[in-house]
Amino acid sequence: MAEINLQEIHDLLISIAHEAGRMQMSATPSYLDSGTKKNSADLVTETDQAVELMVSTKLRTAYPSYSFIGEETYAPGQTLTDAPTFIVDPIDGTTNFVHAFPAFCISLGFVVKKAPSVGVIYNPYLDEMYTAIKGKGAFLSRGGEENIRLPLKKNPEPLKDLSTCLIGAEWGSDRSGGNFELKCKVFAKLAASKEDGGAMVHSIRCMGSAALNLAAVAAGQQDVFWEGGCWAWDVAAGWCILSEAGGIMASGNPGDWDPKIDGRKYLAVRGAPSGQKEIVEEIWGIIGEGRLEYES
Ligand code: IPD
């Protein structure tokens, strides 16, 4: 196979992200005409489908020999292989999109041998473009301005313990069963006072988009993101941006420092001169004997 030109892929993904942003911003979605997938909290709109068609057409034309996985055309059984693969969520944060809550984006990832190699995340509402190429750093461009290198703070503080952390976490769309119960337990323990056995974190944010959560951790605006249930297309781009900004990705379940991109359980910690592993272990301690269970 010819050498892969990551810069060229990055540049194409940025132009596709702009086009997707125009499509998202000119749409007028409503929860009344959005469809549901698994349940009433798992939404899909015509715009999700139209954007994915635009993206897949452009990528297949430019790179016919590379694989493509997209949220709206994924079929159970389709697996991620070692082949160069575009992993795309046309709208991450569809619920926000439908409610005009300004936290949705397109998430465009490119992985080689399952390793995140290019990431582009674009929030058109805020005109914020997060980008990274493996080995070349991560960047944010706001309003088309010059790239700012991530993390935003030049000298990020060390991570002390969870009591000084702002945490990103998501309910997801499962609202019963073991995964839901474990999330409720972990959320309560993260928030509770030390006197009551909790970690008393600064707070917990539910942004509604895994990709934007990872971008926020890469930027250093959130210290941690913990989630189970989201998919490779929600994290492929953000993972590349996070790693290039000095952050780390562990599993959302205790004990696994080398999680799979399609493993559906993630724990991201921002870049810091010290304390990253300790924060992972503190969260794993809160999860305790519980385990997130999601089929890949
Ligand atoms: C969802 C968002 C949400 C996460 C869900 C995802 P979608 O993606 O990333 O934050 O909690 O698990 O499915 O459906 O908006 O593309």
Side-chain angles (χ1 to χ4, degrees):
M1 184 178 290
E3 205 181 315
I4 298 172
N5 186 334
L6 296 181
Q7 183 68 50
E8 189 183 86
I9 289 168
H10 162 272
D11 297 351
L12 176 62
L13 293 183
I14 288 179
S15 80
I16 289 175
H18 279 299
E19 182 162 349
R22 286 190 288 275
M23 291 171 76
Q24 293 168 0
M25 293 304 286
S26 63
T28 49
S30 156
Y31 76 91
L32 291 174
D33 48 39
S34 66
T36 56
K37 294 193 275 190
K38 190 177 56 190
N39 59 36
S40 63
D42 190 8
L43 305 182
V44 59
T45 69
E46 281 177 8
T47 313
D48 293 73
Q49 289 159 343
V51 172
E52 182 159 322
L53 181 61
M54 178 277 288
V55 175
S56 62
T57 305
K58 284 189 186 292
L59 291 177
R60 286 191 168 115
T61 304
Y63 297 100
S65 64
Y66 294 174
S67 301
F68 178 90
I69 296 177
E71 172 171 18
E72 307 311 338
T73 46
Y74 167 81
Q78 186 182 3
T79 50
L80 177 62
T81 66
D82 279 352
T85 304
F86 292 104
I87 308 185
V88 171
D89 189 344
I91 304 180
D92 189 44
T94 303
T95 305
N96 290 337
F97 177 64
V98 162
H99 288 273
F101 188 87
F104 56 84
C105 62
I106 181 161
S107 172
L108 297 160
F110 179 67
V111 304
V112 182
K113 295 201 170 95
K114 300 184 182 133
S117 302
V118 180
V120 169
I121 293 173
Y122 182 51
N123 175 344
Y125 217 105
L126 302 179
D127 198 3
E128 289 187 334
M129 180 81 74
Y130 296 86
T131 59
I133 299 175
K134 193 176 180 186
K136 295 200 170 167
F139 298 90
L140 165 63
S141 159
R142 284 197 177 110
E145 295 283 308
E146 215 175 292
N147 282 337
I148 309 165
R149 186 178 277 271
L150 300 179
L152 293 171
K153 281 188 184 166
K154 283 210 172 63
N155 298 304
E157 298 101 329
L159 285 154
K160 209 171 122 216
D161 60 28
L162 279 177
S163 75
T164 60
C165 286
L166 183 61
I167 311 284
E170 296 290 335
W171 294 105
S173 50
D174 291 330
R175 304 296 165 79
S176 65
N179 292 323
F180 182 64
E181 278 165 31
L182 179 61
K183 284 189 179 185
C184 291
K185 187 195 121 194
V186 171
F187 291 177
K189 218 159 172 204
L190 284 169
S193 71
K194 296 262 183 183
E195 294 73 31
D196 289 342
M200 194 144 178
V201 297
H202 277 174
S203 196
I204 303 176
R205 300 277 177 265
C206 293
M207 197 161 1
S209 156
L212 289 177
N213 269 294
L214 290 174
V217 177
Q221 297 161 323
Q222 277 183 168
D223 300 292
V224 172
F225 173 53
W226 177 67
E227 185 168 10
C230 58
W231 297 81
W233 46 79
D234 298 310
V235 300
W239 192 327
C240 184
I241 295 164
L242 173 78
S243 306
E244 288 302 314
I248 59 168
M249 184 73 97
S251 169
N253 272 341
D256 180 4
W257 291 99
D258 191 18
K260 291 201 185 95
I261 197 154
D262 52 355
R264 304 191 63 199
K265 302 164 281 277
Y266 312 95
L267 174 53
V269 178
R270 72 164 166 86
S274 63
Q276 289 177 306
K277 291 204 157 173
E278 289 79 355
I279 291 288
V280 170
E281 274 158 358
E282 222 186 317
I283 300 236
W284 284 351
I286 286 177
I287 297 168
E289 299 300 309
R291 289 295 174 272
L292 295 164
E293 307 279 356
Y294 292 98
E295 276 179 36
S296 297

